[in-house]
Amino acid sequence: MRFVIDHDLHIHSHLSLCSGDPAQNKNTILAYGVKNGLKTLCLTDHMWDPAVPGAEKFGFYAKQPYERICESLPLPQADGVKFLFGCETDQKMDKAIGVSPAVMEKLDFIIIPTTHMHMGGFTVRGDETVEERAKLWCDRFEAVLDMDLPFHKIGIAHLTCSLIHDGHHYEVLSAIPDSEYHRIFAKAAAKGVGIELNFPSLELTDETRDIELKPYRIAKEEGCKFYFGSDAHSPADLDGAIANFDNIINLLDLTEEDKIPFLK
């Protein structure tokens, strides 16, 4: 059976500083789910747990504690739609992630973006070469896989996004050997972590298509399971999400067997 678009597990509200759009609120997000027949939504505002040291040196996350994202609670509900409460945290240069076990228990789903390499001095040095970023892509992902986490409710976000190395991310992805992709995704499949499908599939060109799709094709071959995330920061982002998801299903030939168990 073809992969069914029945969820969106990566959505931001105005409480994420990178949104700040008052129209992007919990009621707007729920209406998007109802309109598109989605069964599961998850609010994943940016969060750094103050119990984990390090964010006080980085202004963005110093202003995104757990208490801030809790301002969205309680979340509205609708018949046939589960609206879950999660977060998108981050990973410091030393590979630590910004959520303690105590807070992790309170969240329905946790997104970890191992590819947030645009935060010089916090997630990476900032002056790495393409080859160094390719190694970091692997090392940061694998560091998460080696942690003691509830992987059934963990998603690894946007593995092919431009934040890997602005203007050079396709060079970085091309520099990662297929053998490393296979090794890491085999480990990810064994851990049961979710792989996020979140890339602008309708904008791919003949030159970029195979580079963008290769990691996900290898992940599928190794037995990884997937979920969709719009990473929406505004109502306009929500408007185009379903068409993008549908195209990704076609490009990767996804079936219901490829969906994370969390959604079943």
Side-chain angles (χ1 to χ4, degrees), residues 24-49:
Q24 183 70 354
N25 57 59
K26 56 189 179 182
N27 294 314
T28 298
I29 294 167
L30 181 60
Y32 151 75
V34 171
K35 176 183 176 182
N36 291 287
L38 304 183
K39 294 180 180 179
T40 310
L41 300 169
C42 193
L43 183 62
T44 53
D45 280 315
H46 287 284
M47 188 277 295
W48 191 277
D49 183 352

Side-chain angles (χ1 to χ4, degrees), residues 95-115:
K95 310 298 194 302
I97 61 171
V99 55
S100 67
V103 168
M104 201 170 293
E105 288 184 7
K106 300 176 183 178
L107 298 165
D108 296 313
F109 198 71
I110 302 107
I111 289 174
I112 303 172
T114 59
T115 51

Side-chain angles (χ1 to χ4, degrees), residues 9 23 27 38 45 61 75 82-83 89 105 128 160-161 170 176 189 206 209 218-219 230 232 241 257:
L9 299 186
N27 294 314
L38 304 183
D45 280 315
Y61 273 116
L75 292 176
K82 289 190 297 184
F83 197 175
T89 190
E105 288 184 7
E128 294 88 356
T160 56
C161 71
Y170 285 124
I176 299 170
D206 291 342
R209 187 173 296 107
I218 292 176
S230 63
E257 291 300 310

